[in-house]
Amino acid sequence: MPGAVLGWDMGAALEMGRALGIAPVAVAELLPVIEAVMIRKTNEQIEESGRDG
């Protein structure tokens, strides 16, 4: 799908969690669920903006 988000840079996401003091095991457990929702919502917004413009 052109103009779609496929996933996050998980290395960067894990580093952000580390910088925030979040245990790596917690980040690894929660990130896939959060990533899936954020990608779906971001792609919905991309699709909507394509229809508007």
Side-chain angles (χ1 to χ4, degrees), residues 7-24:
W8 285 357
D9 178 342
M10 289 305 212
L14 286 167
E15 277 300 307
M16 274 198 319
R18 187 188 64 75
L20 292 168
I22 302 170

Side-chain angles (χ1 to χ4, degrees), residues 1-4 6 8 12 14 17-18 20-21 24-26 28-30 33-35 39 42 44 46 49 51:
M1 166 188 289
L6 301 178
W8 285 357
L14 286 167
R18 187 188 64 75
L20 292 168
V25 71
E29 184 73 27
L30 297 172
V33 176
I34 295 167
E35 179 193 30
I39 288 172
T42 301
E44 286 173 5
I46 290 170
S49 70
R51 282 190 239 141

